[in-house]
Amino acid sequence: MNKSRSELNKTMQLQLKKKETFPKGIKTLLALRKELMEQMLEFKKILTAEQFSAIPFINANGYHCKTVAYSLWHIIRIEDIVTNTMIKKDRQVFFTGDYQQKINSPIITTGNELVKQVIADFSSQLDIDGLYNYIADVDKSTTKLLQQLTFEDMKIKMTESDKDAVRKTKTVSESENAVWLIDYWGGKDIRGLIQMPLSRHWIMHIEAAERIANKLTEKK
């Protein structure tokens, strides 16, 4: 993990644990997310449409066996589901913004069920401008939520009702590679969800996307 991001992540976790440092923890979290967002925007500057759907490490073990487009889709779909369906008890930005059509996506799920060449084929169908608009709207929604949270909110646990709400949206595949997510999120409180997926999940997949992008743009 990038040293700067790792330090921000550790600092944020410690700050969120204490009431007196909680406001600083939120600021640290937002600073981390801003740094990661800047990297996501950098991909759009340096990669072609074809490179967004390229899969140079298709047989690798690790998050870098995906595409950059898939990585961004996966990060933001999960965030939208967790923040809006589970925490806010509201509709996902994906649906209110009609983003399936705007992104030209054949799926509405997190994409966990996709593997290897299917990931590349899926990625090649996506409208990258639409995807980035979706990312911006979800980030704006999440930022507003984070700024409204209190220290007491951190201990609010997800419930069976919250898990059922996700199931009803059909946005998590019933594939064994994906369905476990509902119980995983459902077993956490809000502080736990801030760590996964609202911070560490971003780091994991964006750094994997950086590795993909570096491979695609390296000088021969």
Side-chain angles (χ1 to χ4, degrees):
M1 189 185 292
N2 171 285
K3 187 175 180 180
S4 169
R5 296 165 187 165
S6 177
E7 287 303 315
L8 281 172
N9 192 46
K10 290 177 183 176
T11 299
M12 175 268 294
Q13 289 184 64
L14 291 173
Q15 289 172 331
L16 292 182
K17 287 181 179 179
K18 297 181 180 179
K19 188 168 185 176
E20 59 268 28
T21 57
F22 177 78
K24 289 183 179 179
I26 294 296
K27 288 183 179 179
T28 304
L29 172 58
L30 293 174
L32 171 61
R33 287 170 58 87
K34 182 180 179 182
E35 182 177 317
L36 292 166
M37 180 62 74
E38 287 171 354
Q39 179 56 58
M40 282 199 268
L41 293 172
E42 182 66 19
F43 294 140
K44 200 165 190 290
K45 294 178 183 178
I46 65 173
L47 298 178
T48 64
E50 291 75 19
Q51 287 174 326
F52 266 101
S53 59
I55 190 164
F57 303 108
I58 191 168
N59 293 314
N61 290 319
Y63 297 111
H64 60 295
C65 71
K66 320 291 185 182
T67 68
V68 173
Y70 171 92
S71 300
L72 301 184
W73 167 273
H74 178 71
I75 291 167
I76 218 66
R77 281 302 291 124
I78 283 183
E79 177 159 318
D80 194 6
I81 294 165
V82 168
T83 56
N84 288 298
T85 301
M86 297 195 85
I87 299 177
K88 290 185 181 180
K89 328 297 185 195
D90 202 355
R91 291 188 72 207
Q92 294 171 28
V93 171
F94 187 75
F95 297 118
T96 60
D98 194 24
Y99 273 109
Q100 183 172 15
Q101 181 176 346
K102 291 175 180 176
I103 301 171
N104 192 40
S105 173
I107 64 172
I108 66 171
T109 62
T110 65
N112 284 68
E113 69 277 16
L114 308 182
V115 296
K116 297 195 175 184
Q117 188 58 40
V118 178
I119 289 175
D121 294 341
F122 159 73
S123 301
S124 68
Q125 297 178 63
L126 302 183
D127 182 290
I128 299 302
D129 288 333
L131 178 58
Y132 270 88
N133 288 336
Y134 176 50
I135 290 168
D137 279 354
V138 173
D139 180 53
K140 182 179 178 180
S141 172
T142 301
T143 297
K144 184 177 180 180
L145 168 67
L146 294 173
Q147 291 172 333
Q148 292 173 341
L149 289 174
T150 66
F151 178 73
E152 288 71 27
D153 291 332
M154 294 296 98
K155 294 181 181 179
I156 296 174
K157 294 183 178 180
M158 298 301 102
T159 66
E160 285 299 320
S161 177
D162 296 321
K163 293 195 286 185
D164 286 341
V166 174
R167 292 187 186 102
K168 287 177 182 175
T169 66
K170 306 291 186 183
T171 52
V172 174
S173 167
E174 294 181 0
S175 161
E176 64 178 0
N177 291 335
V179 71
W180 61 271
L181 284 168
I182 298 175
D183 284 332
Y184 177 75
W185 299 327
K188 293 183 177 292
D189 56 18
I190 290 180
R191 189 161 70 86
L193 292 174
I194 283 177
Q195 178 63 1
M196 284 291 281
L198 303 188
S199 54
R200 183 170 174 77
H201 191 244
W202 275 45
I203 297 171
M204 290 157 49
H205 285 283
I206 289 172
E207 292 194 348
E210 284 180 288
R211 187 170 176 180
I212 298 166
N214 289 339
K215 178 67 174 178
L216 294 171
T217 58
E218 67 184 7
K219 293 181 179 179
K220 305 296 182 185

